[in-house]
Amino acid sequence: MNIVVRKDKRQKGIGTKLLNKIFEVTKRLNIQSITLEVNEKNQSAINLYQRFGFQQVGLRKKYYHNIDNAIIMSVKLMSQN
Protein backbone atom coordinates (compact mmCIF):
# COMPACT_ATOMS: atom_id res chain seq x y z
CA MET A 1 0.00 0.00 0.00
CA ASN A 2 1.19 3.51 -0.68
CA ILE A 3 0.41 6.43 1.57
CA VAL A 4 1.14 9.76 -0.07
CA VAL A 5 0.23 13.36 0.63
CA ARG A 6 0.05 15.60 -2.43
CA LYS A 7 2.93 18.06 -2.57
CA ASP A 8 0.63 21.07 -2.38
CA LYS A 9 -1.02 19.66 0.78
CA ARG A 10 2.13 18.79 2.75
CA GLN A 11 3.13 20.40 6.05
CA LYS A 12 -0.52 20.60 7.12
CA GLY A 13 -0.62 17.61 9.50
CA ILE A 14 -2.22 15.23 7.00
CA GLY A 15 0.60 12.67 7.23
CA THR A 16 0.37 12.73 11.02
CA LYS A 17 -3.40 12.16 10.86
CA LEU A 18 -2.93 9.27 8.43
CA LEU A 19 -0.33 7.60 10.65
CA ASN A 20 -2.48 8.12 13.75
CA LYS A 21 -5.33 6.35 11.97
CA ILE A 22 -3.05 3.52 10.85
CA PHE A 23 -1.85 3.05 14.44
CA GLU A 24 -5.48 3.04 15.61
CA VAL A 25 -6.36 0.27 13.16
CA THR A 26 -3.25 -1.77 13.96
CA LYS A 27 -4.11 -1.66 17.66
CA ARG A 28 -7.64 -2.95 16.96
CA LEU A 29 -6.23 -5.74 14.79
CA ASN A 30 -3.49 -6.57 17.32
CA ILE A 31 -0.77 -6.07 14.70
CA GLN A 32 2.71 -6.42 16.20
CA SER A 33 4.79 -4.20 13.90
CA ILE A 34 4.74 -1.91 10.88
CA THR A 35 7.47 -1.81 8.26
CA LEU A 36 7.75 0.74 5.48
CA GLU A 37 10.18 2.12 2.95
CA VAL A 38 10.96 5.73 2.21
CA ASN A 39 13.23 7.46 -0.28
CA GLU A 40 16.43 8.44 1.51
CA LYS A 41 16.03 11.96 0.07
CA ASN A 42 12.60 12.43 1.68
CA GLN A 43 13.83 13.85 4.98
CA SER A 44 10.46 15.29 6.01
CA ALA A 45 8.85 11.83 5.76
CA ILE A 46 11.77 10.23 7.60
CA ASN A 47 11.37 12.80 10.40
CA LEU A 48 7.64 12.06 10.60
CA TYR A 49 8.23 8.31 10.82
CA GLN A 50 10.89 8.79 13.50
CA ARG A 51 8.41 10.84 15.56
CA PHE A 52 6.16 7.76 15.47
CA GLY A 53 8.99 5.53 16.70
CA PHE A 54 10.14 4.05 13.41
CA GLN A 55 13.82 3.11 13.20
CA GLN A 56 15.95 2.25 10.19
CA VAL A 57 16.32 -1.51 9.83
CA GLY A 58 17.64 -1.80 6.29
CA LEU A 59 18.46 -0.21 2.97
CA ARG A 60 17.49 -1.07 -0.61
CA LYS A 61 20.16 0.36 -2.89
CA LYS A 62 19.02 2.11 -6.07
CA TYR A 63 15.42 1.12 -5.36
CA TYR A 64 13.72 4.18 -6.82
CA HIS A 65 14.21 4.44 -10.60
CA ASN A 66 17.49 2.56 -10.18
CA ILE A 67 18.96 5.75 -8.65
CA ASP A 68 17.77 6.58 -5.12
CA ASN A 69 18.07 4.27 -2.14
CA ALA A 70 15.07 3.23 -0.06
CA ILE A 71 15.41 3.26 3.70
CA ILE A 72 13.48 0.43 5.35
CA MET A 73 11.99 1.51 8.66
CA SER A 74 10.08 -0.47 11.25
CA VAL A 75 8.30 0.06 14.56
CA LYS A 76 7.26 -2.56 17.10
CA LEU A 77 3.79 -2.02 18.50
CA MET A 78 2.60 -2.64 22.02
CA SER A 79 0.67 -5.86 22.50
CA GLN A 80 -2.81 -5.60 24.01
CA ASN A 81 -2.23 -8.73 26.10
Side-chain angles (χ1 to χ4, degrees):
M1 162 183 358
N2 291 321
I3 299 171
V4 180
V5 177
R6 276 183 15 192
K7 286 185 181 181
D8 64 328
K9 300 295 182 185
R10 292 180 185 166
Q11 303 301 314
K12 299 179 188 297
I14 296 169
T16 298
K17 288 178 184 177
L18 287 169
L19 280 172
N20 279 328
K21 191 59 153 175
I22 289 167
F23 274 71
E24 210 178 279
V25 171
T26 59
K27 185 175 181 180
R28 258 195 323 252
L29 297 175
N30 201 27
I31 291 172
Q32 306 278 323
S33 66
I34 301 172
T35 301
L36 57 80
E37 65 194 32
V38 59
N39 189 311
E40 68 181 350
K41 293 181 179 176
N42 191 346
Q43 193 59 52
S44 61
I46 293 167
N47 292 342
L48 174 65
Y49 300 140
Q50 288 174 334
R51 284 197 311 270
F52 275 82
F54 286 85
Q55 296 181 346
Q56 182 173 341
V57 296
L59 185 74
R60 290 188 174 126
K61 293 190 179 234
K62 296 184 177 183
Y63 184 73
Y64 296 103
H65 309 290
N66 206 27
I67 298 170
D68 295 337
N69 297 331
I71 295 174
I72 302 168
M73 302 182 83
S74 189
V75 63
K76 302 273 186 232
L77 305 172
M78 300 289 283
S79 176
Q80 290 181 309
N81 298 336

Coordinates of all heavy atoms in Angstrom, one line a residue:
M1 N 0.8 -1.2 0.0 CA 0.0 0.0 0.0 C 0.9 1.2 0.0 O 1.9 1.2 0.6 CB -0.9 0.0 1.2 CG -1.5 1.3 1.6 SD -2.5 1.4 3.1 CE -2.6 -0.2 3.8
N2 N 0.5 2.2 -0.7 CA 1.2 3.5 -0.7 C 0.4 4.5 0.1 O -0.9 4.6 -0.1 CB 1.4 4.0 -2.1 CG 2.4 3.2 -2.9 OD1 3.4 2.7 -2.3 ND2 2.1 3.0 -4.1
I3 N 1.1 5.3 0.9 CA 0.4 6.4 1.6 C 1.2 7.7 1.2 O 2.4 7.8 1.4 CB 0.5 6.2 3.1 CG1 -0.3 5.0 3.5 CG2 -0.1 7.5 3.8 CD1 -0.1 4.6 4.9
V4 N 0.5 8.6 0.5 CA 1.1 9.8 -0.1 C 0.3 11.0 0.2 O -1.0 10.9 0.1 CB 1.3 9.6 -1.6 CG1 2.0 10.8 -2.2 CG2 2.1 8.3 -1.9
V5 N 0.9 12.1 0.5 CA 0.2 13.4 0.6 C 0.7 14.2 -0.6 O 1.9 14.3 -0.8 CB 0.6 14.1 2.0 CG1 -0.1 15.4 2.0 CG2 0.1 13.2 3.1
R6 N -0.3 14.7 -1.3 CA 0.1 15.6 -2.4 C 1.0 16.7 -2.0 O 0.9 17.3 -0.9 CB -1.2 16.2 -3.0 CG -2.0 15.4 -4.0 CD -3.2 16.0 -4.6 NE -3.3 17.5 -4.5 CZ -4.4 18.1 -4.7 NH1 -5.5 17.5 -5.2 NH2 -4.4 19.4 -4.6
K7 N 1.9 17.0 -2.9 CA 2.9 18.1 -2.6 C 2.3 19.4 -2.1 O 2.8 20.0 -1.2 CB 3.9 18.3 -3.8 CG 4.8 17.2 -4.0 CD 5.8 17.5 -5.1 CE 6.8 16.3 -5.2 NZ 7.7 16.5 -6.3
D8 N 1.2 19.8 -2.7 CA 0.6 21.1 -2.4 C -0.2 21.0 -1.1 O -0.7 22.0 -0.6 CB -0.3 21.6 -3.5 CG -1.4 20.7 -3.8 OD1 -1.4 19.5 -3.7 OD2 -2.5 21.3 -4.2
K9 N -0.3 19.8 -0.5 CA -1.0 19.7 0.8 C -0.1 19.3 1.9 O -0.6 19.0 3.1 CB -2.1 18.6 0.6 CG -3.1 18.9 -0.5 CD -3.9 20.1 -0.1 CE -5.0 20.4 -1.2 NZ -5.7 21.6 -0.9
R10 N 1.2 19.2 1.7 CA 2.1 18.8 2.7 C 2.3 19.9 3.8 O 2.0 21.0 3.5 CB 3.5 18.4 2.1 CG 3.3 17.1 1.3 CD 4.6 16.7 0.6 NE 4.3 15.5 -0.2 CZ 5.1 15.1 -1.1 NH1 6.3 15.6 -1.3 NH2 4.8 14.0 -1.9
Q11 N 2.9 19.5 4.9 CA 3.1 20.4 6.0 C 1.8 21.0 6.7 O 1.8 22.1 7.2 CB 4.1 21.5 5.6 CG 5.4 21.1 5.1 CD 6.2 20.2 6.1 OE1 6.3 20.5 7.2 NE2 6.7 19.1 5.6
K12 N 0.8 20.2 6.6 CA -0.5 20.6 7.1 C -1.1 19.6 8.1 O -2.2 19.7 8.5 CB -1.5 20.8 6.0 CG -1.2 21.9 5.0 CD -2.2 22.0 3.9 CE -1.8 22.9 2.8 NZ -1.5 24.3 3.2
G13 N -0.2 18.6 8.5 CA -0.6 17.6 9.5 C -1.4 16.4 8.9 O -1.8 15.5 9.7
I14 N -1.5 16.3 7.6 CA -2.2 15.2 7.0 C -1.5 13.9 7.2 O -2.1 12.9 7.6 CB -2.5 15.5 5.5 CG1 -3.4 16.7 5.4 CG2 -3.1 14.3 4.8 CD1 -3.5 17.3 3.9
G15 N -0.2 13.9 7.0 CA 0.6 12.7 7.2 C 0.5 12.2 8.7 O 0.3 11.0 8.9
T16 N 0.5 13.1 9.6 CA 0.4 12.7 11.0 C -1.0 12.1 11.3 O -1.1 11.1 12.0 CB 0.6 14.0 11.9 OG1 1.9 14.5 11.7 CG2 0.3 13.6 13.4
K17 N -2.0 12.7 10.7 CA -3.4 12.2 10.9 C -3.5 10.8 10.2 O -4.1 9.9 10.8 CB -4.4 13.1 10.2 CG -4.6 14.4 11.0 CD -5.6 15.3 10.3 CE -5.7 16.6 11.1 NZ -6.6 17.5 10.5
L18 N -2.9 10.6 9.1 CA -2.9 9.3 8.4 C -2.2 8.2 9.3 O -2.7 7.1 9.5 CB -2.3 9.3 7.1 CG -3.0 10.0 6.0 CD1 -2.2 10.3 4.7 CD2 -4.3 9.2 5.6
L19 N -1.1 8.6 9.8 CA -0.3 7.6 10.6 C -1.1 7.3 12.0 O -1.1 6.2 12.4 CB 1.1 8.1 10.9 CG 2.1 7.8 9.8 CD1 3.4 8.5 10.0 CD2 2.3 6.4 9.6
N20 N -1.7 8.4 12.5 CA -2.5 8.1 13.8 C -3.6 7.1 13.5 O -3.9 6.2 14.3 CB -3.1 9.4 14.3 CG -2.1 10.2 15.1 OD1 -1.2 9.7 15.8 ND2 -2.2 11.5 15.0
K21 N -4.2 7.3 12.3 CA -5.3 6.3 12.0 C -4.8 4.9 11.7 O -5.4 4.0 12.2 CB -6.0 6.9 10.7 CG -7.3 6.1 10.4 CD -8.3 6.3 11.6 CE -9.7 6.2 11.1 NZ -10.6 6.2 12.3
I22 N -3.7 4.8 11.1 CA -3.0 3.5 10.9 C -2.7 2.9 12.2 O -3.0 1.7 12.4 CB -1.8 3.6 10.0 CG1 -2.2 4.0 8.5 CG2 -1.0 2.4 10.0 CD1 -1.1 4.4 7.6
F23 N -2.2 3.6 13.1 CA -1.8 3.1 14.4 C -3.1 2.6 15.2 O -3.1 1.6 15.9 CB -1.0 4.1 15.3 CG 0.4 4.0 15.0 CD1 1.0 4.4 13.8 CD2 1.3 3.5 16.0 CE1 2.3 4.3 13.6 CE2 2.7 3.4 15.7 CZ 3.2 3.8 14.5
E24 N -4.2 3.4 15.0 CA -5.5 3.0 15.6 C -6.0 1.7 15.1 O -6.4 0.8 15.9 CB -6.5 4.1 15.2 CG -7.6 4.4 16.2 CD -8.4 5.6 15.6 OE1 -8.0 6.7 15.8 OE2 -9.5 5.3 15.0
V25 N -5.9 1.5 13.8 CA -6.4 0.3 13.2 C -5.5 -0.9 13.6 O -6.0 -2.0 13.9 CB -6.4 0.4 11.6 CG1 -6.7 -0.9 10.9 CG2 -7.5 1.4 11.2
T26 N -4.2 -0.7 13.6 CA -3.3 -1.8 14.0 C -3.5 -2.2 15.4 O -3.4 -3.4 15.7 CB -1.8 -1.4 13.8 OG1 -1.5 -0.3 14.6 CG2 -1.4 -1.1 12.4
K27 N -3.8 -1.3 16.3 CA -4.1 -1.7 17.7 C -5.4 -2.5 17.7 O -5.4 -3.6 18.4 CB -4.3 -0.4 18.5 CG -4.5 -0.7 20.0 CD -4.5 0.6 20.7 CE -4.7 0.3 22.2 NZ -4.8 1.6 23.0
R28 N -6.4 -2.2 17.0 CA -7.6 -2.9 17.0 C -7.4 -4.3 16.4 O -8.0 -5.3 16.9 CB -8.7 -2.3 16.1 CG -9.7 -1.5 16.8 CD -10.9 -1.2 15.9 NE -10.6 -0.8 14.6 CZ -10.6 0.4 14.1 NH1 -11.0 1.4 14.8 NH2 -10.3 0.6 12.8
L29 N -6.5 -4.5 15.4 CA -6.2 -5.7 14.8 C -5.1 -6.5 15.5 O -4.7 -7.6 15.0 CB -5.9 -5.5 13.3 CG -7.0 -4.9 12.5 CD1 -6.5 -4.6 11.1 CD2 -8.2 -5.8 12.4
N30 N -4.6 -6.0 16.6 CA -3.5 -6.6 17.3 C -2.3 -6.9 16.4 O -1.6 -7.9 16.6 CB -4.0 -7.8 18.0 CG -3.1 -8.2 19.2 OD1 -2.4 -7.3 19.8 ND2 -3.0 -9.5 19.5
I31 N -1.9 -5.9 15.6 CA -0.8 -6.1 14.7 C 0.5 -5.7 15.5 O 0.5 -4.8 16.3 CB -0.9 -5.2 13.5 CG1 -2.0 -5.7 12.6 CG2 0.4 -5.0 12.7 CD1 -2.4 -4.8 11.4
Q32 N 1.5 -6.5 15.4 CA 2.7 -6.4 16.2 C 3.7 -5.4 15.7 O 4.5 -4.9 16.5 CB 3.4 -7.8 16.3 CG 2.5 -8.9 16.7 CD 2.3 -9.0 18.2 OE1 3.2 -8.8 18.9 NE2 1.1 -9.2 18.7
S33 N 3.8 -5.1 14.4 CA 4.8 -4.2 13.9 C 4.3 -3.6 12.6 O 3.5 -4.2 11.9 CB 6.1 -4.9 13.7 OG 6.1 -5.9 12.7
I34 N 5.0 -2.5 12.2 CA 4.7 -1.9 10.9 C 6.1 -1.7 10.3 O 7.0 -1.2 10.9 CB 4.0 -0.6 11.0 CG1 2.7 -0.7 11.7 CG2 3.9 0.1 9.6 CD1 2.0 0.6 12.0
T35 N 6.2 -2.0 9.0 CA 7.5 -1.8 8.3 C 7.1 -1.0 7.0 O 6.1 -1.3 6.4 CB 8.2 -3.1 7.9 OG1 8.4 -3.8 9.1 CG2 9.5 -2.9 7.1
L36 N 8.0 -0.1 6.7 CA 7.7 0.7 5.5 C 9.1 1.1 4.8 O 10.1 0.8 5.3 CB 7.0 2.0 5.9 CG 7.6 2.9 6.9 CD1 8.7 3.8 6.3 CD2 6.6 3.8 7.5
E37 N 9.0 1.6 3.6 CA 10.2 2.1 3.0 C 9.9 3.6 2.6 O 8.8 4.0 2.3 CB 10.5 1.3 1.7 CG 9.4 1.4 0.7 CD 9.5 0.3 -0.4 OE1 9.9 -0.8 -0.1 OE2 9.1 0.7 -1.5
V38 N 11.0 4.3 2.5 CA 11.0 5.7 2.2 C 12.2 6.1 1.5 O 13.3 5.6 1.7 CB 10.8 6.6 3.5 CG1 11.9 6.4 4.5 CG2 10.6 8.0 3.2
N39 N 12.1 7.0 0.5 CA 13.2 7.5 -0.3 C 14.2 8.2 0.7 O 13.7 9.0 1.5 CB 12.8 8.4 -1.4 CG 13.9 8.8 -2.3 OD1 15.0 9.2 -1.9 ND2 13.6 8.7 -3.6
E40 N 15.4 7.8 0.6 CA 16.4 8.4 1.5 C 16.5 10.0 1.4 O 17.0 10.6 2.3 CB 17.8 7.8 1.3 CG 18.4 8.2 -0.1 CD 19.8 7.6 -0.3 OE1 20.4 7.0 0.6 OE2 20.3 7.7 -1.4
K41 N 16.0 10.5 0.3 CA 16.0 12.0 0.1 C 14.8 12.6 0.7 O 14.7 13.9 0.7 CB 16.1 12.3 -1.4 CG 17.5 11.9 -2.0 CD 17.5 12.2 -3.5 CE 18.9 11.8 -4.1 NZ 18.9 12.0 -5.5
N42 N 13.8 11.9 1.1 CA 12.6 12.4 1.7 C 12.7 12.6 3.2 O 12.1 11.9 4.0 CB 11.4 11.5 1.3 CG 10.1 12.2 1.6 OD1 10.0 13.2 2.3 ND2 9.0 11.6 1.1
Q43 N 13.5 13.6 3.6 CA 13.8 13.9 5.0 C 12.6 14.2 5.8 O 12.5 13.8 7.0 CB 14.9 14.9 5.1 CG 15.5 15.0 6.5 CD 16.1 13.7 7.0 OE1 17.0 13.1 6.3 NE2 15.7 13.2 8.1
S44 N 11.7 14.9 5.2 CA 10.5 15.3 6.0 C 9.7 14.0 6.4 O 9.1 13.9 7.5 CB 9.6 16.3 5.3 OG 9.2 15.8 4.1
A45 N 9.6 13.1 5.5 CA 8.8 11.8 5.8 C 9.6 11.0 6.8 O 9.0 10.5 7.7 CB 8.6 11.0 4.5
I46 N 10.9 11.0 6.6 CA 11.8 10.2 7.6 C 11.6 10.8 9.0 O 11.4 10.1 10.0 CB 13.3 10.3 7.2 CG1 13.4 9.5 5.9 CG2 14.2 9.7 8.3 CD1 14.8 9.7 5.2
N47 N 11.6 12.1 9.1 CA 11.4 12.8 10.4 C 10.0 12.4 11.0 O 9.9 12.2 12.2 CB 11.5 14.3 10.3 CG 12.9 14.7 9.9 OD1 13.9 14.0 10.1 ND2 13.0 16.0 9.4
L48 N 9.0 12.4 10.1 CA 7.6 12.1 10.6 C 7.6 10.6 11.1 O 7.1 10.4 12.2 CB 6.6 12.2 9.4 CG 5.2 11.7 9.7 CD1 4.5 12.5 10.8 CD2 4.4 11.7 8.5
Y49 N 8.2 9.7 10.4 CA 8.2 8.3 10.8 C 9.0 8.2 12.1 O 8.6 7.4 13.0 CB 8.8 7.4 9.7 CG 8.0 7.4 8.4 CD1 8.7 7.4 7.2 CD2 6.6 7.5 8.4 CE1 8.0 7.5 6.0 CE2 5.9 7.5 7.3 CZ 6.6 7.5 6.1 OH 5.9 7.6 4.9
Q50 N 10.1 8.9 12.3 CA 10.9 8.8 13.5 C 10.1 9.3 14.7 O 10.2 8.8 15.8 CB 12.2 9.6 13.4 CG 13.2 8.9 12.5 CD 14.4 9.7 12.2 OE1 14.4 10.9 12.2 NE2 15.5 8.9 11.9
R51 N 9.3 10.3 14.5 CA 8.4 10.8 15.6 C 7.4 9.8 16.0 O 7.0 9.8 17.2 CB 7.7 12.1 15.1 CG 8.5 13.3 15.1 CD 7.7 14.6 15.1 NE 6.7 14.7 14.1 CZ 6.8 15.2 12.9 NH1 8.0 15.6 12.4 NH2 5.8 15.2 12.0
F52 N 7.1 8.9 15.1 CA 6.2 7.8 15.5 C 6.9 6.5 16.0 O 6.3 5.5 16.2 CB 5.3 7.4 14.3 CG 4.1 8.3 14.1 CD1 4.2 9.5 13.6 CD2 2.8 7.9 14.6 CE1 3.0 10.3 13.4 CE2 1.7 8.7 14.5 CZ 1.8 9.9 13.9
G53 N 8.2 6.6 16.1 CA 9.0 5.5 16.7 C 9.6 4.6 15.7 O 10.3 3.6 16.1
F54 N 9.5 4.9 14.4 CA 10.1 4.0 13.4 C 11.7 4.2 13.5 O 12.2 5.3 13.7 CB 9.7 4.4 12.0 CG 8.3 4.0 11.7 CD1 7.2 4.8 12.0 CD2 8.1 2.8 11.0 CE1 5.9 4.4 11.7 CE2 6.8 2.4 10.7 CZ 5.7 3.2 11.0
Q55 N 12.4 3.1 13.3 CA 13.8 3.1 13.2 C 14.3 2.4 11.9 O 13.6 1.5 11.4 CB 14.4 2.4 14.4 CG 14.1 3.0 15.7 CD 14.7 2.3 16.9 OE1 15.1 1.2 16.8 NE2 14.7 3.0 18.0
Q56 N 15.4 2.9 11.4 CA 15.9 2.3 10.2 C 16.4 0.8 10.5 O 17.1 0.6 11.5 CB 17.1 3.1 9.6 CG 17.7 2.5 8.4 CD 18.7 3.3 7.7 OE1 18.8 4.5 8.0 NE2 19.5 2.7 6.8
V57 N 15.9 -0.1 9.7 CA 16.3 -1.5 9.8 C 17.0 -2.1 8.6 O 17.5 -3.2 8.6 CB 15.1 -2.4 10.2 CG1 14.6 -2.0 11.6 CG2 14.0 -2.3 9.2
G58 N 17.0 -1.3 7.5 CA 17.6 -1.8 6.3 C 17.7 -0.7 5.2 O 17.3 0.4 5.4
L59 N 18.3 -1.1 4.1 CA 18.5 -0.2 3.0 C 18.3 -1.0 1.7 O 18.9 -2.1 1.6 CB 19.9 0.4 3.1 CG 20.2 1.5 2.0 CD1 19.4 2.8 2.3 CD2 21.7 1.8 2.0
R60 N 17.6 -0.5 0.7 CA 17.5 -1.1 -0.6 C 18.2 -0.1 -1.6 O 17.7 1.0 -1.8 CB 16.0 -1.2 -1.0 CG 15.3 -2.3 -0.3 CD 13.9 -2.6 -0.9 NE 13.3 -3.7 -0.2 CZ 12.2 -3.7 0.4 NH1 11.4 -2.6 0.4 NH2 11.7 -4.8 1.0
K61 N 19.3 -0.5 -2.0 CA 20.2 0.4 -2.9 C 19.5 0.5 -4.3 O 19.0 -0.4 -4.8 CB 21.6 -0.2 -3.0 CG 22.3 -0.1 -1.7 CD 23.8 -0.4 -1.8 CE 24.4 -0.3 -0.5 NZ 25.5 0.5 -0.4
K62 N 19.5 1.8 -4.7 CA 19.0 2.1 -6.1 C 17.6 1.6 -6.3 O 17.3 1.1 -7.4 CB 20.0 1.6 -7.2 CG 21.3 2.3 -7.1 CD 22.2 1.8 -8.2 CE 23.5 2.6 -8.2 NZ 24.4 2.2 -9.3
Y63 N 16.8 1.7 -5.3 CA 15.4 1.1 -5.4 C 14.5 2.0 -6.2 O 13.6 1.4 -6.9 CB 14.9 1.0 -3.9 CG 13.5 0.3 -3.9 CD1 13.4 -1.1 -4.1 CD2 12.4 1.0 -3.6 CE1 12.2 -1.7 -4.0 CE2 11.2 0.4 -3.5 CZ 11.0 -0.9 -3.7 OH 9.8 -1.5 -3.7
Y64 N 14.6 3.3 -6.1 CA 13.7 4.2 -6.8 C 14.4 4.6 -8.1 O 15.4 5.3 -8.2 CB 13.4 5.4 -6.0 CG 12.6 5.1 -4.7 CD1 13.3 5.1 -3.5 CD2 11.3 4.8 -4.8 CE1 12.6 4.8 -2.3 CE2 10.6 4.5 -3.6 CZ 11.2 4.6 -2.4 OH 10.6 4.3 -1.3
H65 N 13.8 4.1 -9.2 CA 14.2 4.4 -10.6 C 15.7 4.1 -10.8 O 16.4 4.7 -11.6 CB 14.0 5.9 -10.9 CG 12.6 6.4 -10.6 ND1 11.5 6.0 -11.4 CD2 12.1 7.2 -9.7 CE1 10.4 6.5 -10.9 NE2 10.8 7.3 -9.9
N66 N 16.1 3.0 -10.1 CA 17.5 2.6 -10.2 C 18.5 3.7 -9.9 O 19.6 3.6 -10.3 CB 17.8 1.9 -11.5 CG 18.9 0.9 -11.5 OD1 19.1 0.3 -10.5 ND2 19.6 0.7 -12.6
I67 N 18.1 4.6 -9.0 CA 19.0 5.7 -8.6 C 19.0 5.9 -7.1 O 20.0 5.8 -6.5 CB 18.5 7.1 -9.3 CG1 18.6 6.9 -10.8 CG2 19.3 8.2 -8.8 CD1 17.9 8.1 -11.6
D68 N 17.8 6.3 -6.5 CA 17.8 6.6 -5.1 C 17.6 5.3 -4.3 O 16.9 4.4 -4.6 CB 16.6 7.5 -4.8 CG 16.8 8.9 -5.5 OD1 17.9 9.3 -5.8 OD2 15.7 9.6 -5.7
N69 N 18.2 5.4 -3.1 CA 18.1 4.3 -2.1 C 16.8 4.4 -1.4 O 16.3 5.5 -1.1 CB 19.2 4.3 -1.2 CG 20.6 4.0 -1.8 OD1 20.7 3.4 -2.8 ND2 21.6 4.6 -1.2
A70 N 16.2 3.3 -0.9 CA 15.1 3.2 -0.1 C 15.5 2.8 1.3 O 16.3 1.8 1.5 CB 14.0 2.2 -0.6
I71 N 15.2 3.6 2.3 CA 15.4 3.3 3.7 C 14.2 2.4 4.2 O 13.1 2.8 4.0 CB 15.6 4.5 4.6 CG1 16.8 5.3 4.1 CG2 15.7 4.1 6.1 CD1 17.0 6.6 4.8
I72 N 14.5 1.3 4.8 CA 13.5 0.4 5.4 C 13.4 0.8 6.8 O 14.4 0.8 7.5 CB 13.8 -1.1 5.1 CG1 13.9 -1.3 3.7 CG2 12.7 -1.9 5.8 CD1 14.5 -2.7 3.3
M73 N 12.2 1.1 7.3 CA 12.0 1.5 8.7 C 10.9 0.6 9.3 O 10.0 0.2 8.6 CB 11.6 3.0 8.8 CG 12.6 3.9 8.1 SD 12.1 5.7 8.3 CE 12.7 6.0 10.0
S74 N 11.0 0.4 10.6 CA 10.1 -0.5 11.3 C 9.8 0.0 12.7 O 10.7 0.7 13.3 CB 10.6 -1.9 11.3 OG 9.6 -2.8 11.8
V75 N 8.6 -0.3 13.2 CA 8.3 0.1 14.6 C 7.6 -1.1 15.2 O 6.7 -1.8 14.5 CB 7.4 1.3 14.7 CG1 6.1 1.2 14.0 CG2 7.3 1.8 16.1
K76 N 8.0 -1.5 16.4 CA 7.3 -2.6 17.1 C 6.1 -1.9 17.9 O 6.3 -0.8 18.4 CB 8.2 -3.2 18.1 CG 9.4 -3.9 17.4 CD 9.1 -5.3 17.0 CE 10.4 -5.9 16.5 NZ 10.3 -6.5 15.2
L77 N 5.0 -2.6 17.9 CA 3.8 -2.0 18.5 C 3.5 -2.8 19.8 O 3.8 -3.9 19.9 CB 2.6 -2.1 17.6 CG 2.8 -1.5 16.2 CD1 1.7 -1.8 15.2 CD2 3.0 0.0 16.4
M78 N 2.9 -2.1 20.7 CA 2.6 -2.6 22.0 C 1.5 -3.7 21.9 O 0.5 -3.5 21.2 CB 2.1 -1.6 23.0 CG 3.1 -0.5 23.2 SD 4.5 -1.0 24.2 CE 3.8 -1.0 25.8
S79 N 1.7 -4.8 22.5 CA 0.7 -5.9 22.5 C -0.4 -5.5 23.5 O -0.2 -4.8 24.5 CB 1.3 -7.2 22.9 OG 0.3 -8.2 23.0
Q80 N -1.7 -5.9 23.1 CA -2.8 -5.6 24.0 C -3.0 -6.6 25.1 O -3.8 -6.5 25.9 CB -4.1 -5.5 23.2 CG -4.2 -4.3 22.3 CD -5.5 -4.3 21.5 OE1 -5.9 -5.3 20.9 NE2 -6.1 -3.2 21.6
N81 N -2.1 -7.7 25.1 CA -2.2 -8.7 26.1 C -1.7 -8.3 27.4 O -0.9 -7.6 27.7 CB -1.5 -10.0 25.6 CG -2.0 -10.5 24.4 OD1 -3.2 -10.3 24.0 ND2 -1.2 -11.3 23.6

